[in-house]
Amino acid sequence: MKSGSNLERILESGHFAVCAEAGPPKGSSPKVIQKKGGPLKSCCDAVNVTDNQTAIVRMSSISGCVLLKELGLEPVLQMVVRDRNRLALQSDLLGAAALGIRNVLCLSGDHQKFGNHPTAKGVYDIDSIQFLQMVKTMRDEHKFINGEDISGDVPFFIGAAANPFADPFEFRVTRLAKKINAGADFIQTQGIFDVAKFVEWMKMVRDRGLHERTHILAGLIPMKSVGMARYMRNNVPGLSVPKVLVDRMADSKDPKEEGVKICVEAIEQLTDVEGVHGVHVMAVAWEDIVPRIVEEAGLMPRPVV
Amino acid sequence: MIVGERKPFDEIVGFVRDCKKILIAGCNECVTVCCAGGKKEVGILSSALKMAFSKEGKDLEVKEVTLERQCDPEYVQQLSEYYDQYDAIVSMACGVGVQELAMSYQDKLVFPALNTNFMGASQGQGVWEERCQGCGACVLGRTGGLCPIARCAKSLLNGPCGGSMNGKCEISKDVDCVWQLIIDRLTGLNQLQMLEDIFPVKDWSCAGHGGPRKVVREDLKS
Ligand code: SF4
Ligand code: SF4
């Protein structure tokens, strides 16, 4: 075991994993994240805590992780290189390890231009692939990025993101390979709406044997309204929402119900794809729907390993 | 070249509001080429300032001069004979020129008339794009001759982020994703395998994060 985290144990023992996501609040109350965590506890193996998501300042992801841990959930610490240089990243990793956080997801982060501090200076000292390599070196060699020794263990199960829907499509598999070579133990993908395109990407992944070197968790974003579907289709770079799904949402008398149905159908298709080892449900501001989705997708109860 | 553009007029007026005689100094290099601070722009600024002053019932005497280069002490010295007759110098050079004047004429107020933008290239009439950040350790040999430091919004060194769509950067549909351009170019050259290896963390100390930089060429020193 690299980290001994629940997520690692589930995946290494060959179970199909379920992750969800909880975004910290734009404020200091612990209740918000505790409330989001509550319904996720029994239906997920681990819960991602986002890091100033979409470049909007929120409570730190480390604090969110600790609050979830206190409730008995297993957190995945998301960290972006947009806001921290190599010193800050390494020091936060040591702190996270000390606080018992065992999963980390290494990301570039959305550009600061999108957020609520668009005039900020972005850091981008290292990129997400160099970040993965750094965490792996800290864990496996007990060394900082400058080669100096670290005292104590830094046991993280290391994750990375992959977006099969961004361009250039063919290079996306190369980028995945680089992330695996850098140290990614697991991958959480961008939200999948275009299942056919994802399946095509997974074939390229398998052709390079990459599915055997990491655990790929397929990302899902349940849609709450046709407005959300349209917004994601037209305004979110890196998302690909087929028109048929927008139409289904538009034609439905009960869009929330339709959104759940679309999500469950996608999970059912994705579980059959060779090399997919789990799902990651990102129900932004709709965390309490996750238990139902997991149940209806036939992924309950969660295994205890 | 260094690309600059003139500051808003009111900001410049604010600098010289209390002056009676000013010297406006243009530069005959980059800022002439990008139509921001050459002889022509010196003339335009001079007329506009005089007009603004006369509207307020004030007089402004302006001496217009355009130096060959403001980043070279040899040319900057040319002002030494008469600069002291003026209350202030307004430099229409890039930030380098402004500072050369300021350091040469310690007893004189010097104001910038331009915002210095970047090192870039002309992309047709009236359009310039950033190309280089002077990072001190050029990586173009590994990126198909296109710069991910200056032209990727996140300065990524290992390929495009998940926001690259239809050749454009996630920050704007008006900005090319340089990683798409790099990949297209290396694909055309049959060199895409160059991007398979992990590009190691960059040394930013020579990119300005190690403090102000200086180049000394012993072989050329007198
Ligand atoms: S790599 Fe550095 S020196 Fe080379 S073009 Fe880019 S910023 Fe300029
Ligand atoms: S879209 Fe391309 S240029 Fe923009 S930040 Fe991502 S990789 Fe860099």
Side-chain angles (χ1 to χ4, degrees):
Chain A
M1 283 284 135
K2 291 164 170 166
S3 71
S5 78
N6 186 47
L7 184 61
E8 180 181 9
R9 292 197 309 271
I10 296 261
L11 287 167
E12 288 298 317
S13 58
H15 291 287
F16 194 83
V18 176
C19 292
E21 185 172 289
K26 282 168 86 174
S28 59
S29 168
K31 292 206 187 82
V32 179
I33 197 117
Q34 287 163 341
K35 194 160 157 266
K36 285 183 180 183
L40 300 176
K41 188 170 175 179
S42 55
C43 68
C44 304
D45 307 317
V47 175
N48 285 43
V49 182
T50 49
D51 182 12
N52 290 334
Q53 197 177 17
T54 59
I56 290 173
V57 174
R58 295 167 187 282
M59 181 189 288
S60 72
S61 50
I62 293 192
S63 331
C65 287
V66 171
L67 291 167
L68 289 184
K69 252 181 81 60
E70 284 169 354
L71 285 181
L73 284 90
E74 175 166 286
V76 178
L77 172 66
Q78 294 198 183
M79 289 178 98
V80 299
V81 299
R82 175 193 63 227
D83 305 332
R84 298 178 188 82
N85 68 7
R86 61 191 83 175
L87 281 82
L89 288 167
Q90 291 177 107
S91 99
D92 278 351
L93 284 164
L94 296 181
L99 291 165
I101 297 164
R102 291 292 171 259
N103 308 300
V104 61
L105 187 75
C106 304
L107 305 166
S108 314
D110 296 317
H111 195 271
Q112 62 273 13
K113 189 181 168 167
F114 293 109
N116 60 355
H117 291 70
T119 56
K121 186 175 184 197
V123 178
Y124 304 112
D125 172 22
I126 64 176
D127 66 25
S128 58
I129 290 180
Q130 295 160 345
F131 183 17
L132 287 162
Q133 213 171 27
M134 182 172 85
V135 185
K136 185 176 161 66
T137 307
M138 290 174 79
R139 180 190 68 196
D140 295 349
E141 297 170 34
H142 293 89
K143 286 200 189 302
F144 290 108
I145 199 170
N146 65 352
E148 282 178 22
D149 290 336
I150 297 173
S151 63
D153 290 332
V154 191
F156 285 113
F157 194 46
I158 306 170
N163 186 358
F165 307 102
D167 289 322
F169 182 62
E170 286 72 26
F171 193 76
R172 290 293 148 190
V173 179
T174 305
R175 199 155 148 86
L176 176 71
K178 287 179 87 162
K179 288 191 172 186
I180 296 169
N181 291 339
D185 302 309
F186 69 100
I187 301 289
Q188 291 176 329
T189 77
Q190 174 61 286
I192 299 162
F193 296 98
D194 188 344
V195 177
K197 191 161 185 188
F198 176 77
V199 168
E200 189 189 341
W201 180 76
M202 277 303 297
K203 183 170 181 312
M204 291 162 71
V205 170
R206 287 194 304 272
D207 286 346
R208 285 184 69 158
L210 299 175
H211 64 305
E212 281 162 358
R213 296 178 50 212
T214 194
H215 299 287
I216 296 172
L217 311 188
L220 293 134
I221 305 173
M223 292 184 284
K224 230 178 168 176
S225 65
V226 65
M228 178 181 175
R230 285 208 184 101
Y231 181 81
M232 290 192 297
R233 178 173 165 83
N234 300 323
N235 300 85
V236 183
L239 266 185
S240 159
V241 185
K243 188 164 175 302
V244 290
L245 294 186
V246 179
D247 292 345
R248 267 180 73 178
M249 291 298 285
D251 296 342
S252 166
K253 286 200 184 61
D254 188 346
K256 281 189 172 180
E257 212 40 47
E258 192 65 25
V260 171
K261 226 171 119 192
I262 290 171
C263 187
V264 171
E265 282 171 17
I267 296 178
E268 283 165 358
Q269 288 171 286
L270 292 165
T271 45
D272 289 340
V273 178
E274 188 191 344
V276 172
H277 292 182
V279 286
H280 175 50
V281 186
M282 296 166 273
V284 184
W286 200 18
E287 288 78 6
D288 54 5
I289 196 65
V290 178
R292 214 190 114 193
I293 290 173
V294 178
E295 177 77 51
E296 286 184 20
L299 297 170
M300 288 290 272
R302 299 309 310 143
V304 180
V305 237
Chain B
M1 75 178 126
I2 292 178
V3 178
E5 55 186 341
R6 211 189 71 191
K7 281 183 173 289
F9 185 62
D10 290 347
E11 191 179 343
I12 303 173
V13 172
F15 292 145
V16 298
R17 177 157 288 133
D18 299 325
C19 299
K20 294 201 167 48
K21 295 171 78 175
I22 61 168
L23 199 164
I24 302 183
C27 175
N28 206 21
E29 295 280 353
C30 310
V31 292
T32 293
V33 182
C34 67
C35 309
K39 191 162 183 228
K40 187 171 152 213
E41 291 76 28
V42 168
I44 294 169
L45 179 61
S46 169
S47 314
L49 284 172
K50 281 190 235 169
M51 221 188 301
F53 270 61
S54 85
K55 261 195 196 158
E56 290 185 18
K58 296 192 289 184
D59 268 345
L60 181 69
E61 188 186 323
V62 181
K63 162 99 176 152
E64 301 173 18
V65 59
T66 298
L67 301 177
E68 196 50 40
R69 273 201 296 281
Q70 282 190 33
C71 55
D72 198 329
E74 185 187 330
Y75 297 106
V76 169
Q77 282 317 312
Q78 290 172 357
L79 302 182
S80 63
E81 314 217 322
Y82 53 85
Y83 82 96
D84 55 356
Q85 299 164 28
Y86 298 90
D87 302 327
I89 307 174
V90 173
S91 167
M92 297 198 80
C94 69
V96 179
V98 179
Q99 295 182 64
E100 286 309 301
L101 294 185
M103 290 193 298
S104 297
Y105 302 113
Q106 291 287 353
D107 55 349
K108 196 57 61 189
L109 285 169
V110 176
F111 297 111
L114 303 192
N115 288 323
T116 305
N117 301 107
F118 47 73
M119 284 187 265
S122 166
Q123 296 296 293
Q125 194 69 27
V127 180
W128 293 269
E129 281 182 3
E130 181 165 16
R131 290 291 179 262
C132 173
Q133 277 180 11
C135 76
C138 194
V139 306
L140 296 187
R142 292 181 64 174
T143 58
L146 303 173
C147 178
I149 308 290
R151 299 176 65 182
C152 164
K154 301 175 187 172
S155 294
L156 304 178
L157 286 166
N158 279 293
C161 76
S164 178
M165 276 296 222
N166 304 317
K168 299 297 171 189
C169 173
E170 71 172 23
I171 65 158
S172 163
K173 292 193 167 74
D174 298 327
V175 176
D176 290 333
C177 170
V178 75
W179 274 106
Q180 175 79 57
L181 300 177
I182 292 169
I183 289 164
D184 289 348
R185 196 170 135 72
L186 290 176
T187 305
L189 291 168
N190 215 2
Q191 296 286 326
L192 202 56
Q193 83 290 345
M194 282 176 87
L195 301 181
E196 294 269 345
D197 293 338
I198 296 174
F199 202 113
V201 292
K202 190 164 167 64
D203 174 357
W204 294 106
S205 67
C206 52
H209 295 270
R213 294 169 283 176
K214 186 171 183 169
V215 172
V216 180
R217 283 272 306 272
E218 292 300 340
D219 56 330
L220 297 175
K221 266 171 83 177
S222 50

